[in-house]
């Protein structure tokens, strides 16, 4: 029985970041990179993966050191740990994928102040063992990458008529340029949140109707 | 430092054309979280200008005397030096001028780890601004953030008396309003040729 509960717990740690506590759509964390670099799907994906690396590594380290770090200086320690891994990503990307590094520019360095990462350290990794922290970090980063990819796809398809640099609609398509400019980021996320709100409201309505039915019948 | 851009150009560019909030998406958390009232938004903006000026000075000092010897320490040193300097200045203000502290105080810790602040330090470094240019850039960027905050707060104060559908309330509405304001700011792009 203990094993089953354990598995359920593990699954819950991972799954919550994907939808119910999605960092961008529900918790509204890490909005600055979510909007700034997502003018194409590939940039969104790259930013998502870079954030995944930083979040995963710092979660592991913070979780391992959680009993050593004094409570008074914990936030400072987290920031130093995060900044170290961001420096690794910054230099790594510059060496391995210079084109993407140039495209993302200073926003790679700005992963340091992504509230999502610091938030997970404070809320989860500093209180839980390594295994659970890894699952939590993975779930959150997959949710974050998914959100960035969604925004990136919408903006690239509408604003450039292409997806992953492959033209979709042929030469006759008049691109909706505003979508790859800054306002497009606000609009894309705004309408995605609108959709989320609508979906949640509908789900709640159905559930209420269901319980009401049960009450009447029972 | 190898930049000889005109002071006026730097200021207007940071204020309007490349507005930190509306064109670079920096400092969105306070932008969407706090800006419900014009007066609060204005004070937050002032605190932002203040911290940005300190940041600009810190970044200049680090860039000139420390980082040429250890470039890989850039991020870590920026964050630590900026955060601690702001803390010290906060204490100093508390001692010297309690009124000013009352007006700005509660916002300072909020702002210190804001992406707009670190963004300012990084952009200033990338553009190679000197001391004076850096200060003007910080002033323009801070004023730009203030402008964006006040504009959004103004629209939000108006929306409070309107009948808004429940699904769009909150963050979704704010983002769409911000998008429309941002679209207006795109019009400034032609102010300087090549700006």
């Amino acid at each position: 029985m203990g094993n089953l509960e354990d598995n359920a717990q593990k699954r819950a740690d991972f799954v919550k970041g994907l939808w119910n506590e999605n960092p961008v759509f529900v918790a509204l964390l890490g909005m600055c990179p979510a909007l700034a670099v997502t003018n194409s799907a590939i940039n969104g994906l790259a930013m998502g993966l870079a954030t995944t690396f930083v979040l995963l590594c710092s979660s592991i380290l913070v979780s391992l050191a959680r009993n050593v770090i004094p409570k008074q200086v914990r936030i400072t320690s987290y920031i130093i740990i995060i900044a170290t891994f961001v420096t690794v990503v910054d230099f790594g990307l510059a060496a391995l994928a210079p084109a993407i590094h140039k495209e993302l520019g200073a926003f790679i360095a700005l992963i340091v102040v992504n509230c999502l990462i610091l938030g997970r350290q404070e809320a989860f990794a500093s209180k839980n063992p390594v295994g659970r922290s890894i699952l939590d970090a993975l779930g959150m980063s997959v949710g974050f990458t998914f959100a960035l990819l969604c925004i990136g796809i919408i903006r690239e398809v509408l604003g450039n008529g292409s997806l992953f640099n492959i033209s979709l609609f042929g030469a006759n398509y008049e691109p909706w340029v505003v979508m790859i400019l800054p306002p497009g980021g606000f609009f894309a996320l705004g309408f995605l949140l609108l959709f989320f709100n609508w979906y949640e409201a509908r789900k709640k309505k159905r559930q209420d109707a269901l319980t009401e039915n049960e009450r009447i019948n029972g | 430092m190898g930049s000889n851009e005109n002071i006026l150009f730097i200021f207007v560019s940071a204020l309007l054309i490349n507005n930190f909030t509306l064109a670079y998406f920096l400092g969105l958390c306070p932008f969407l979280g706090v800006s419900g009232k014009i007066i609060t938004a204005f004070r937050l903006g002032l605190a932002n200008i203040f911290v940005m000026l300190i940041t600009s000075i810190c970044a200049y000092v680090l860039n000139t005397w420390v980082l040429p010897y250890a470039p890989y320490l850039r991020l870590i040193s920026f964050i630590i030096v900026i955060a601690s300097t702001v803390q010290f200045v906060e204490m100093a203000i508390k001692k010297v001028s309690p009124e000013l502290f009352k007006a700005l105080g509660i916002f300072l810790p909020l702002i210190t780890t804001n992406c707009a602040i670190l963004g300012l330090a990084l952009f200033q470094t990338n553009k190679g601004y000197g001391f004076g240019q850096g200060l003007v850039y910080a002033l323009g960027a801070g004023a730009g953030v203030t402008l964006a905050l006040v504009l959004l707060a103004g629209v939000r104060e108006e929306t409070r008396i309107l009948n808004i559908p429940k699904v769009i309330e909150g963050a979704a509405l704010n983002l769409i309003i911000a998008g429309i304001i941002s679209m207006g700011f795109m019009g400034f792009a032609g102010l300087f040729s090549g700006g």
Side-chain angles (χ1 to χ4, degrees), chain A residues 21-177:
Chain A
E21 291 180 28
N22 186 295
V24 178
F25 293 142
V26 180
L28 297 178
L29 294 174
M31 309 250 284
C32 148
L35 297 176
V37 300
T38 49
N39 49 11
S40 74
I42 195 88
N43 284 355
L45 190 63
M47 183 48 128
L49 292 181
T51 311
T52 305
F53 175 81
V54 175
L55 180 54
L56 195 59
C57 292
S58 31
S59 275
I60 294 173
L61 201 58
V62 166
S63 177
L64 281 175
R66 68 183 186 281
N67 297 324
V68 190
I69 299 174
K71 206 165 183 287
Q72 294 84 350
V73 292
R74 65 184 194 288
I75 303 281
T76 320
S77 324
Y78 302 158
I79 290 182
I80 294 175
I81 290 173
I82 296 168
T84 313
F85 285 115
V86 173
T87 310
V88 171
V89 170
D90 199 12
F91 281 56
L93 263 184
L96 297 173
I100 289 184
H101 184 263
K102 207 174 158 214
E103 191 100 339
L104 297 181
F107 287 100
I108 289 285
L110 285 173
I111 296 178
V112 183
V113 278
N114 188 334
C115 7
L116 162 65
I117 297 178
L118 190 61
R120 284 338 283 172
Q121 311 311 327
E122 169 73 4
F124 203 95
S126 58
K127 299 190 186 103
N128 290 294
V130 184
R132 286 189 64 190
S133 302
I134 292 179
L135 285 173
D136 175 74
L138 272 179
M140 284 294 162
S141 2
V142 172
F144 185 70
T145 313
F146 167 73
L148 255 61
L149 201 56
C150 275
I151 304 173
I153 288 176
I154 293 178
R155 290 179 69 185
E156 194 181 346
V157 168
L158 292 178
N160 206 16
S162 64
L163 188 57
F164 291 109
N165 291 330
I166 301 164
S167 179
L168 287 182
F169 305 118
N172 285 330
Y173 180 72
E174 183 67 42
W176 203 359
V177 180

Side-chain angles (χ1 to χ4, degrees), chain B residues 9 47 65 76 100 102 108 118 131 138 149 154 177:
Chain B
F9 171 73
W65 285 294
I76 301 179
L100 186 65
K102 233 172 148 186
L108 290 179
L118 186 65
F131 186 72
L149 280 167
I177 295 174

Side-chain angles (χ1 to χ4, degrees), chain A residues 28 31-32 35-36 79-80 83-84 86-87 106-107 109-110 112-113 115 178 181-183 186-187 189-190 193-194 197-198, chain B residues 21-26 28-29 32 72 75-76 79 113 115 119 122-123 167-168 171-172 175-176 178-180 182-183 186:
Chain A
L28 297 178
M31 309 250 284
C32 148
L35 297 176
I79 290 182
I80 294 175
T84 313
V86 173
T87 310
F107 287 100
L110 285 173
V112 183
V113 278
C115 7
V178 74
L181 294 175
F186 286 116
F187 287 138
L189 185 57
L193 287 180
L194 187 62
N197 286 351
W198 170 79
Chain B
T21 310
L22 297 170
Y24 289 152
F25 306 103
L26 296 171
L28 277 182
C29 313
L32 297 172
Y72 49 87
L75 270 178
I76 301 179
I79 290 189
T113 47
C115 30
L122 291 169
F123 289 141
V167 275
I168 199 177
L175 279 168
I176 293 170
I180 295 171
S182 162
M183 210 144 83
M186 298 305 296

Side-chain angles (χ1 to χ4, degrees), chain B residues 131-168:
Chain B
F131 186 72
Q133 286 171 318
L135 280 184
V136 173
Y137 186 56
L139 204 61
V145 171
T146 313
L147 186 64
L149 280 167
V150 170
L151 281 177
L152 183 71
V155 178
R156 273 177 67 177
E157 272 191 1
E158 294 294 318
T159 59
R160 204 162 305 151
I161 50 172
L162 300 175
N163 232 339
I164 291 174
K166 227 186 164 86
V167 275
I168 199 177

Side-chain angles (χ1 to χ4, degrees), chain B residues 79-136:
Chain B
I79 290 189
I80 295 176
V81 172
I82 292 168
S84 35
T85 316
V86 171
Q87 198 111 58
F88 278 126
V89 176
E90 193 187 340
M91 286 182 212
I93 293 181
K94 203 174 182 179
K95 201 90 183 159
V96 178
S97 151
E99 297 96 63
L100 186 65
F101 180 77
K102 233 172 148 186
L104 302 183
I106 46 164
F107 298 120
L108 290 179
L110 237 178
I111 294 170
T112 316
T113 47
N114 191 307
C115 30
I117 305 302
L118 186 65
L120 179 90
L122 291 169
F123 289 141
Q124 184 188 335
T125 312
N126 289 350
K127 291 182 177 182
Y129 285 157
F131 186 72
Q133 286 171 318
L135 280 184
V136 173

